[in-house]
Structure formats: C-alpha cells, structure tokens
Amino acid sequence: MPGDIGGKSGKKGAKKPTKVTPQSKNGKKGNRQGQNDDDILDAALKAVKLNQGSTEDGGVQGPGSSIPVQGDFKAEYDRQWSYLVEESADGNAFAPQKGGIGIVSVPKRVEGQSNPPRVPISKIYQEFPVGETHDYIDENSYRTTSEEKRAIERQEEQEQLYKILRQAAAAHKQIRQYAQRVIKPGMRMIDLCESIETATRNLVEGDSIEAGIGFPTGCSLNNCAAHYSPNSRDETVLKADDLCKLDFGVQIDGRIIDCAFTFSFDPKYNALMQAVREATETGVKTAGIDVRVGDVGAAVQEVMESHEVEIDGRNHQVKCVRNLHGHSIGKHQIHAGKTVPIVKNGDQTKMEEGEVFAIETFGSTGRGWVNEEGECSHYAKIFDAPHVGLRLAKSRHLLNSITKNFGTLPFCRRYLDRLGETKYLMALKNLIDSNIVAAYPPLSDVRGCYTAQFEHTILLRPTCKEILSRGEDF
C-alpha cells in the first residue's frame, strides 16, 4: 500500500453501499468464496480437460478456481481466455501453460495446504521460513560476523518479532500464489478481493486487530495506480487486456507484510512490468542500514526511466510516479513516518537498524503523477488523532466500531458492511471532517496510460537485510 499524497473527505452524492448477494441476471445466485469451495473444485476438475467446465447457471468455472465466472460473462470469458492451461503435478491446481501470469511465475501449492487455502500457516510449518537475506556492504560489512549484533538477534523479544513477521510473510506468499492460480478474465474484481481476504483470515486464524487483514485488497486497473478496491455494489469485471496491480497486506499482532505485483493476460505490457520490477529490485538492493532514502530514490529512478516500451504500436518512456513512494512500517501503522521516494529528491533521512520498510515502485506511460479519482473505498483511523468530542451518536458508534475492529489499520466499506454497519456514510464523513479518520481515494494517472507496481517488505536486521516477502513467484 503506497505512501501517497494523502486523502480527503468523502464526496457529495456518493451511493450508499448495501449488502447484496451476487447474482447473475437469470436470477440465480453466483457461487461465492467460502461456499462449498471443495465441491466446486472437484466438479471443475472432473469437467475440465484443458481449460473449462460449466456451472449450473450456465457460467464457466475457471481452471483450478473456486470463483466462477457468472453466466452473463460466459461469452466474455470464452472470448478472452486465449491460452490453454495444464493440470499441475498435484492434480488439484491449474496454471497457465507457460507457468506464469504476466511476468510472474506461479509456484506449486505448498504441501499440506488446501485449495482454496484454509489450513492455518501455524499448522503447516514448525519453523517459519526465513526470507531471502543479503549481507550488508562497505562500512556495514562487519555486521555479518559481529557477535554483538548476533547477540541482539538472539534476544527473546527480537526472535519473537522475527517469528511473527515470517509467519505473516509465509501466509502472504501462499495467498498470492493461490490468487495467481485463480485469476482469470471475466471474473468480478470484488470476488477476487474477497477470495484473497477470506484466505488471509483462514491462514492467520484471525479477523481482528490481533491477526488478519493488513489493509484492503487493492486491485487498481490500467491508469489507476493505487487505492482501488471495489465497494459492495461494484460490478467491475477483469478483462483480458487489463493491467492490474494486486496489493494486499497480512498482519499478525499488528506486524504488517505489504507486498504487491502487477499482472496481465496480454503480453504487450510485459516490458512495462519488467521495467517496474527491475526498479523495485534496485530499491531493495540499495536499501540498508545508514542508507539515505534519497539515494534509494535516485537508484530507482535511474533504472526505471532507462526503459522505453512499446504498447499498441506507440513508444512510451517509462516514468516514475513521482508522488507515490515506499514507506516504513510500524506496529499497527502501515505508514510509520519515513518515506522512500522513487525519484531523486535529496532526502537525507537514513534507514536505521531494526526498521521495516515497504520498498515499492510505480512506473507509468503517462505523466508520472497521480491524482484522486473515483469513489473512495480505503480509510484509516489517524494514528495520532486527537480526542474530539463527537455530537452525533451515529458517529460515536461508528468510531467505536472502527477502533474495536481495526484500530489504526486501514479498512474499507466492505469491511464495515461485513460487520453489519448500515447507513454509515454521513457518520464516516463526520469522522473524516473531524480529522479522526483519513480517506484514501483511488489514485490515477491520465486516462489512456498504463501503470505498474511491484513491492516487497524488507527487515533491516542487525546482521543482514531480510526480504521477508520474497517468494518463488517474484
């Protein structure tokens, strides 16, 4: 979830969200994540030889997926699902024939995990996997063998922190790898988000401040770079030529893993995605203890803007999105105060031992600048918000609900709907106007351009840099 230009209060005329049961236009209910997923999967595996079977309502059941394509989207799915799929070695999951989605590879499902993922991470691993580690260089190279620094890492408090972060990271990897297997053209974006969020709750055994979702699942499309997550009545459908940024968080005890990737079914975007991925990897490589964040930005910009890509016969210089950036992460605080720019800006702030950072970069074929656009879904209680006397009883009730269920973790309208909150938009606007809650609307570059994002969470341990979110996929 990017550090950005900040949110503003809600807009006039916003539609009030209500709980709805997804239906196809023939009146039959669509299958949703969490409803007989194993039965759906078994039926699909029997019906699907190479790429598809049918559901009861005439829709198409996607390969290896518990998320059906609704009946109304069957023709769209048939038209857009242009590449074959093959059954994986375990016989229970499918992947694109080339073994990836866009430029991201799709690993096999972890042994012991169900499909969809329901088995808690704590029951799969006796010891959670250590992320990819890198030794520090230059004046910090002594840290690798320093007994003093090793002793710090052996402290009980530090070992517990590392365990929690690695547990959340292991969950994130399995959830996104599941998503990579089930994503398909013709599916509703809300179904994709809710499948990820259901898996998150299952794998970390929680749906609260103690453990659960780190922030709303972002699935920003095309020129929209960040902060788009569908509200309850949003029927947006993923198309084969969409470019989607999938950004979601997992948290345990308030320790958040923030990781994102970009995908598309159309190879015309591969060069853009590769440019942004290389820029993120440069940021990860450059980051470290005592490194100035401005130097990270300069390195990222040099790599990102060295790329020129061709899309639909037109050449584009890849630009860094200048007003989006990475950020430090604190306990229950997705943006903990330090920003990591993706352009050279001379910021002399240093990264310090023990800090956790989200290193993320955004590339664009447009202006390289985003503005707020569209209906807001993302909100968060301001971390250091002052106490304000609220006159409206509905506002006080909503604030109590937010504090109890999310604390200072970001949330979206769908989460409020799930809690049973109704007719809350005026109360939510009152909390925003009172500077208790911040709104984070979707952030978009100019229409007609394309944006891509890649992101990893890193931990600056005393002896080495650990890329917590590194997986077999990217």
Side-chain angles (χ1 to χ4, degrees):
M1 181 175 179
D4 55 64
I5 56 179
K8 296 182 180 179
S9 60
K11 296 181 171 54
K12 295 181 180 180
K15 296 180 180 179
K16 295 182 180 180
T18 59
K19 287 187 174 181
V20 294
T21 302
Q23 296 183 348
S24 57
K25 289 186 179 178
N26 61 13
K28 294 184 180 180
K29 293 182 179 179
N31 294 312
R32 293 296 296 275
Q33 174 68 19
Q35 297 181 352
N36 300 320
D37 289 327
D38 289 332
D39 293 339
I40 294 170
L41 180 62
D42 290 341
L45 288 171
K46 291 177 183 178
V48 178
K49 182 66 176 176
L50 278 177
N51 71 328
Q52 63 185 49
S54 62
T55 60
E56 292 181 358
D57 67 352
V60 175
Q61 178 66 37
S65 170
S66 62
I67 312 170
V69 177
Q70 301 292 333
D72 293 335
F73 304 134
K74 183 177 187 299
E76 176 75 1
Y77 182 85
D78 289 341
R79 182 180 70 82
Q80 297 198 46
W81 189 258
S82 57
Y83 56 82
L84 297 178
V85 295
E86 59 182 8
E87 191 170 355
S88 66
D90 62 11
N92 289 321
F94 289 80
Q97 189 173 33
K98 293 184 179 181
I101 177 169
I103 64 169
V104 174
S105 61
V106 182
K108 294 181 181 178
R109 179 154 46 91
V110 173
E111 184 177 353
Q113 185 54 267
S114 63
N115 190 9
R118 292 195 189 89
V119 182
I121 288 293
S122 62
K123 292 180 171 56
I124 293 180
Y125 297 105
Q126 291 184 341
E127 187 172 329
F128 302 113
V130 177
E132 181 180 286
T133 59
H134 294 259
D135 292 339
Y136 295 118
I137 59 174
D138 300 331
E139 65 270 16
N140 278 312
S141 60
Y142 77 94
R143 290 174 172 272
T144 304
T145 57
S146 170
E147 284 300 324
E148 178 186 356
K149 298 302 180 182
R150 289 179 178 180
I152 294 174
E153 292 188 351
R154 290 194 296 268
Q155 293 174 1
E156 183 178 353
E157 181 180 356
Q158 289 298 309
E159 288 184 339
Q160 181 63 19
L161 172 62
Y162 300 160
K163 177 182 177 181
I164 290 171
L165 285 168
R166 290 165 185 163
Q167 181 179 0
H172 196 289
K173 294 169 195 176
Q174 292 191 22
I175 295 161
R176 71 179 189 246
Q177 289 163 14
Y178 162 70
Q180 290 157 5
R181 292 195 294 269
V182 303
I183 291 168
K184 55 187 178 290
M187 71 187 303
R188 298 192 312 166
M189 302 308 294
I190 194 169
D191 292 327
L192 171 59
C193 291
E194 290 186 350
S195 70
I196 289 171
E197 291 158 1
T198 297
T200 300
R201 297 181 184 108
N202 290 337
L203 266 60
V204 300
E205 304 173 85
D207 186 19
S208 66
I209 298 174
E210 285 72 34
I213 295 167
F215 54 84
T217 303
C219 54
S220 305
L221 298 173
N222 303 321
N223 68 308
C224 182
H227 292 174
Y228 166 70
S229 189
N231 288 322
S232 293
R233 288 183 172 179
D234 191 329
E235 295 290 328
T236 301
V237 174
L238 179 66
K239 298 181 177 63
D241 60 352
D242 280 335
L243 185 62
C244 180
K245 281 69 65 181
L246 194 59
D247 186 357
F248 69 97
V250 177
Q251 67 90 13
I252 298 174
D253 192 30
R255 302 297 182 177
I256 307 167
I257 296 297
D258 184 359
C259 183
F261 66 96
T262 302
F263 70 87
S264 178
F265 303 96
D266 193 327
K268 69 182 180 181
Y269 303 118
N270 285 2
L272 173 60
M273 290 188 285
Q274 188 61 39
V276 180
R277 183 174 176 177
E278 288 179 13
T280 297
E281 293 298 335
T282 298
V284 169
K285 181 180 179 181
T286 307
I289 294 173
D290 295 332
V291 172
R292 291 176 172 83
V293 296
D295 293 340
V296 177
V300 166
Q301 184 176 20
E302 182 178 4
V303 171
M304 181 87 77
E305 298 188 352
S306 68
H307 287 266
E308 185 176 278
V309 300
E310 180 181 337
I311 299 176
D312 294 332
R314 295 183 60 188
N315 292 330
H316 303 272
Q317 173 71 46
V318 180
K319 300 182 182 71
C320 294
V321 179
R322 302 187 302 281
N323 56 335
L324 293 178
H325 44 72
H327 48 90
S328 57
I329 303 175
K331 187 173 183 180
H332 292 113
Q333 192 175 13
I334 187 63
H335 297 159
K338 291 184 179 181
T339 62
V340 184
I342 60 174
V343 293
K344 183 178 181 180
N345 69 354
D347 191 335
Q348 298 298 301
T349 303
K350 289 186 177 182
M351 296 177 160
E352 298 178 65
E353 179 182 304
E355 290 184 319
V356 177
F357 283 92
I359 304 297
E360 58 183 323
T361 71
F362 295 81
S364 174
T365 62
R367 294 183 305 179
W369 187 270
V370 292
N371 294 295
E372 296 175 0
E373 181 179 286
E375 186 177 61
C376 187
S377 62
H378 284 52
Y379 305 87
K381 183 179 176 184
I382 297 172
F383 192 79
D384 54 356
H387 175 75
V388 177
L390 297 169
R391 298 177 59 186
L392 299 177
K394 185 68 174 179
S395 299
R396 293 195 297 272
H397 167 79
L398 182 61
L399 178 58
N400 289 337
S401 181
I402 291 170
T403 301
K404 176 183 176 182
N405 292 283
F406 313 115
T408 53
L409 293 171
F411 60 93
C412 65
R413 294 189 197 176
R414 287 186 291 106
Y415 300 173
L416 295 176
D417 297 340
R418 192 171 183 270
L419 292 172
E421 299 291 341
T422 59
K423 300 180 180 179
Y424 54 75
L425 287 182
M426 287 301 296
L428 184 57
K429 185 178 186 304
N430 182 225
L431 296 179
I432 294 167
D433 292 343
S434 301
N435 294 317
I436 298 172
V437 169
Y440 299 93
L443 299 170
S444 299
D445 203 335
V446 292
R447 296 191 180 187
C449 78
Y450 299 97
T451 59
Q453 171 198 19
F454 278 87
E455 176 180 23
H456 275 300
T457 296
I458 66 171
L459 167 64
L460 301 183
R461 287 167 45 189
T463 64
C464 65
K465 173 171 55 184
E466 184 172 344
I467 308 171
L468 294 161
S469 55
R470 175 76 78 203
E472 294 179 40
D473 50 349
F474 70 96

